[in-house]
Amino acid sequence: MAESNKMKDMPVNKLMVQMGIPMILSMALQAVYNIVDSAFVGNMRVGSEAALNALTLVFPVQMLMVAVGIGTGVGTNALLARTLGQGNSKKAAKVAGNSLFLGVIIYVVCLLFGIFGVKAYISSQTVDAEVLQMGVSYLRICCVISFGIIFFSLFEKLLQATGRSLYSTIGQVVGAVVNIILDPIMIYGIGPCPEMGVKGAAYATVIGQVASAVLLFIFHIKLNKEFEHGAKYMKPDAGVIKEIYAIGLPAIIAQALMSIMVYVMNLILKFNPSAQTAYGLFYKVQQFVLFLAFGLRDAITPILAFAYGMRSKKRIKDGIKYGLIYTIALMILGIAITEIFPGAFATLFNAGQSREYFIGAMRVISVSFLFAGINVAYQGIYQALDGGVESLVISLLRQLIIILPLAGIFSIFVRNGQMGVTLIWWAFPITEIVSCFVGYVFLKKIRKNKVDVLS
């Protein structure tokens, strides 16, 4: 029970650093091997430009699969941490078991889409036959073998909910290393492995994900001793599933909205394939920065949820304060990196005709990182304190209600060239600033109604 005692007794600022660093590293590694995939693909001997465009087009569906897995995990994480904070180990076992049952259902849906839906999806975004063929091949592999990323997401949250974030990071590191080692071998054909191009990138990705999931399953069974394990706990319990998604559904929608936003932005930029590719490449760099905030959010949520279960006003307030301070520090670092080194990232990806558009996106959109990071922290706070509706509203503002109409309006004024596309990039900072103001109003309301009333 040492981990639960840590969640209860350790000073919040120290606990957040101890839990947050492994989670931040875990998310950073996930973003890094997305970047590495594109870097290796961008340096293929034949068809590298088409391959980069194909990866841009498949990215929303990859994000959507992750969204459902992580969102279910977020609901499980917060509910499990709160249940353990209340000392109810029997219900905790049901929460963990039902999350794995949900994982099976999610995988079946991804499998069916991988078999029947990928060609229609890619066709909606491009008429280039080479890009279409590469996109379908890559996405079909990722969907059919998606059980790795789904169950990795669930086991990661089960370990984080009990304070064992270090072990989830170990699993992430193993998957990243496997993926990075296999990428050049399978893409370029090194040793006995044939040259597979884009298909090789997909196989390297899913093999790394499966390796991570298997390792985290072992950690979960051996280390999470606060509650029982077994197939009997996977029996669907409507009440538990409802509680998981009462917390997790806003997180799923938030992540899914990212997929919708990228997909619609691809459609808006369809008039200029180079700008479309540049946006896809930039989004992977943006993920690297924002995943730092997501990693810290994954520490904020269980810490606050556990404190809320204990009804500890001081620990909740400390969690909010330090969560925001640490997030702001990380985002300032992220802005500095992206503003200083845009050319280096463009060279890494071998961006070709997309280079100037990519550097323009880096210069403009990275301004929004500070406000975007604060919005992510707000959502972690809301989720821990039963503020699912507030979390959902912020997601809708950031990724649908403001950004897409604004980008669409700006695209009307685009004629040709870098200057016109830059106008579309400015939709991102404007959106995050407005959303951040609304998020602050919500935070004040939640503190008044959920925290200040605790004895």
Side-chain angles (χ1 to χ4, degrees):
M1 293 296 177
E3 298 295 334
S4 290
N5 291 337
K6 178 176 75 175
M7 295 283 281
K8 180 180 178 182
D9 300 324
M10 183 180 286
V12 169
N13 60 335
K14 184 178 178 182
L15 178 62
M16 194 164 291
V17 170
Q18 190 179 101
M19 288 182 62
I21 288 175
M23 294 181 188
I24 290 166
L25 290 173
S26 174
M27 296 298 284
L29 281 167
Q30 185 174 329
V32 162
Y33 74 74
N34 283 338
I35 290 173
V36 168
D37 259 1
S38 293
F40 281 122
V41 165
N43 286 280
M44 285 166 45
R45 287 177 295 182
V46 179
S48 61
E49 191 88 14
L52 285 174
N53 197 0
L55 262 60
T56 296
L57 303 185
V58 305
F59 197 49
V61 172
Q62 287 182 288
M63 290 166 59
L64 187 59
M65 291 190 293
V66 171
V68 180
I70 287 182
T72 303
V74 165
T76 302
N77 181 333
L79 181 59
L80 185 59
R82 187 184 311 157
T83 303
L84 291 171
Q86 294 165 344
N88 189 345
S89 60
K90 184 175 180 181
K91 182 178 178 182
K94 285 187 176 182
V95 172
N98 273 253
S99 74
L100 300 180
F101 165 77
L102 293 169
V104 174
I105 301 301
I106 295 164
Y107 170 63
V108 170
V109 174
C110 293
L111 175 65
L112 292 173
F113 178 80
I115 295 170
F116 300 110
V118 293
K119 187 171 183 180
Y121 166 77
I122 300 293
S123 297
S124 70
Q125 299 173 87
T126 185
V127 294
D128 186 305
E130 185 180 18
V131 172
L132 175 64
Q133 183 268 327
M134 288 181 171
V136 169
S137 297
Y138 185 96
L139 187 55
R140 182 160 287 147
I141 293 165
C142 289
C143 290
V144 170
I145 315 178
S146 60
F147 56 84
I149 188 60
I150 292 165
F151 284 99
F152 166 77
S153 300
L154 295 175
F155 289 127
E156 178 185 43
K157 300 303 181 191
L158 289 170
L159 287 163
Q160 289 173 1
T162 57
R164 296 182 173 90
S165 55
L166 174 62
Y167 295 96
S168 65
T169 302
I170 292 171
Q172 184 76 272
V173 169
V174 168
V177 170
V178 169
N179 183 46
I180 290 168
I181 291 171
L182 291 180
D183 257 336
I185 293 172
M186 303 183 88
I187 292 171
Y188 306 139
I190 297 175
C193 184
E195 182 178 348
M196 291 189 280
V198 166
K199 284 185 178 181
Y203 281 121
T205 296
V206 296
I207 292 170
Q209 291 167 350
V210 171
S212 292
V214 170
L215 187 56
L216 290 199
F217 169 71
I218 294 169
F219 287 152
H220 168 66
I221 295 298
K222 289 187 174 296
L223 299 174
N224 277 345
K225 299 297 187 183
E226 289 83 357
F227 50 89
E228 293 183 15
H229 308 285
K232 64 181 179 180
Y233 295 110
M234 290 181 65
K235 182 180 179 181
D237 184 313
V240 169
I241 292 172
K242 183 178 178 182
E243 285 189 85
I244 288 173
Y245 282 124
I247 303 166
L249 187 59
I252 291 174
I253 294 172
Q255 297 276 345
L257 285 171
M258 293 170 65
S259 299
I260 294 169
M261 182 184 75
V262 174
Y263 176 69
V264 176
M265 286 298 298
N266 284 339
L267 295 180
I268 290 172
L269 294 167
K270 192 175 180 180
F271 70 92
N272 188 327
S274 293
Q276 192 182 56
T277 300
Y279 174 66
L281 294 176
F282 170 77
Y283 201 87
K284 297 195 175 186
V285 177
Q286 175 182 265
Q287 268 200 315
F288 175 74
V289 178
L290 291 187
F291 272 24
L292 304 180
F294 287 135
L296 188 57
R297 179 204 64 190
D298 288 345
I300 293 169
T301 300
I303 289 170
L304 287 177
F306 198 101
Y308 192 46
M310 290 171 54
R311 299 182 63 82
S312 173
K313 185 189 296 188
K314 182 181 186 305
R315 290 183 72 82
I316 294 172
K317 288 186 174 181
D318 283 350
I320 294 171
K321 178 176 76 173
Y322 289 112
L324 289 171
I325 289 172
Y326 295 155
T327 298
I328 289 169
L330 285 171
M331 292 302 98
I332 290 172
L333 176 64
I335 291 171
I337 291 170
T338 50
E339 288 288 349
I340 294 170
F341 302 112
F345 282 105
T347 301
L348 173 68
F349 292 129
N350 191 23
Q353 297 177 27
S354 305
R355 181 184 178 88
E356 292 306 313
Y357 292 105
F358 173 75
I359 291 175
M362 291 275 279
R363 294 289 192 202
V364 174
I365 304 177
S366 62
V367 173
S368 69
F369 289 163
L370 176 61
F371 304 99
I374 292 171
N375 285 327
V376 169
Y378 282 160
Q379 290 179 285
I381 294 166
Y382 303 156
Q383 288 160 7
L385 302 176
D386 286 336
V389 173
E390 288 83 355
S391 179
L392 176 58
V393 169
I394 294 298
S395 295
L396 288 168
L397 290 175
R398 292 180 61 217
Q399 290 150 350
L400 188 68
I401 294 172
I402 301 175
I403 181 68
L404 295 181
L406 204 56
I409 291 167
F410 287 169
S411 73
I412 294 171
F413 300 99
V414 172
R415 293 295 179 264
N416 290 298
Q418 171 69 20
M419 288 298 292
V421 174
T422 297
L423 186 61
I424 296 175
W425 302 150
W426 275 105
F428 291 86
I430 294 169
T431 296
E432 295 294 357
I433 290 168
V434 174
S435 300
C436 195
F437 174 76
V438 175
Y440 176 72
V441 173
F442 285 161
L443 180 62
K444 288 187 70 174
K445 174 187 169 187
I446 284 179
R447 285 189 61 153
K448 180 181 177 181
N449 295 337
K450 300 285 181 71
V451 182
D452 292 343
V453 297
L454 296 174
S455 54

